[in-house]
Amino acid sequence: MELALDDARGSALVDASPAPLTRWVGAAAFVLSLIGVGLSTYMTIAHFTETTILACSGTGELSCTAVTTSPQSRLLGMPVVLIGLSYFVVMSVLTSPPVWRRSMRWLALSRSLLAVAGIAFVFWLIAAELLIIGHVCLWCTGVHVVMFALVIVLTRATPAQQGFRLESGVDPRPRVT
């Protein structure tokens, strides 16, 4: 990384050259998104065929059938599993290596905003399972774990690594007057 000297203040400015993305961040985000597609695809098929193929016991607190057939399994009439599948398909595209290498601000912003929206939705789904439905679906929990891991991985990439770059010669620090 190159540094430039700001003559007026005598302080070093960070060069706006792209920061290299740690390879594991992009790869892990992509793999987690693909795992999310797989889990969501399975749950979508189960939702529209028979809920008994979910391999959950159906008795006690662990009951995928109770969760996937509850009123909370739909949002505005749309099955939550379709929302999850759509989410992970979009995130798979946004975290794919060719797309990640593009240093466009809107792509980085889309990844970040979708991650925040996704984790907020997962919090709501967990609350619905525990507080409203009273049952937990193991397949849903798998999706929730993948979502948490994806958010954690995405936070490991700095803004510069995600495509947010400073304009050349602009000091990112606030000026104190």
Side-chain angles (χ1 to χ4, degrees):
M1 176 179 357
E2 297 178 20
L3 296 177
L5 192 60
D6 181 3
D7 292 349
R9 293 177 27 167
S11 60
L13 296 177
V14 178
D15 184 25
S17 62
L21 179 65
T22 307
R23 285 191 178 175
W24 73 266
V25 172
F30 184 55
V31 168
L32 286 167
S33 296
L34 292 177
I35 291 169
V37 167
L39 289 170
S40 298
T41 298
Y42 179 73
M43 292 178 65
T44 301
I45 292 168
H47 179 83
F48 288 108
T49 56
E50 291 186 43
T51 55
T52 55
I53 68 168
L54 287 171
C56 279
S57 66
T59 60
E61 280 101 26
L62 296 178
S63 176
C64 292
T65 303
V67 173
T68 59
T69 59
S70 72
Q72 290 74 29
S73 69
R74 293 185 171 272
L75 181 66
L76 302 175
M78 178 183 263
V80 171
V81 293
L82 284 179
I83 296 170
L85 179 59
S86 301
Y87 173 85
F88 281 113
V89 166
V90 170
M91 284 303 280
S92 293
V93 171
L94 290 175
T95 60
S96 66
V99 173
W100 198 299
R101 281 191 291 267
R102 295 181 183 180
S103 59
M104 294 182 206
R105 177 173 262 165
W106 73 269
L107 290 171
L109 188 59
S110 297
R111 274 191 296 269
S112 298
L113 291 176
L114 281 173
V116 169
I119 202 67
F121 195 58
V122 163
F123 283 139
W124 180 85
L125 292 171
I126 292 171
E129 281 183 315
L130 297 175
L131 304 174
I132 301 169
I133 304 167
H135 296 279
V136 175
C137 171
L138 291 178
W139 289 98
C140 300
T141 301
V143 171
H144 302 162
V145 168
V146 168
M147 187 63 229
F148 278 115
L150 181 58
V151 169
I152 290 169
V153 166
L154 288 174
T155 63
R156 305 309 339 147
T158 66
Q161 292 168 329
Q162 288 206 34
F164 291 102
R165 301 221 169 68
L166 299 174
E167 293 180 20
S168 183
V170 176
D171 188 350
R173 297 169 294 171
R175 297 204 184 258
V176 179
T177 54

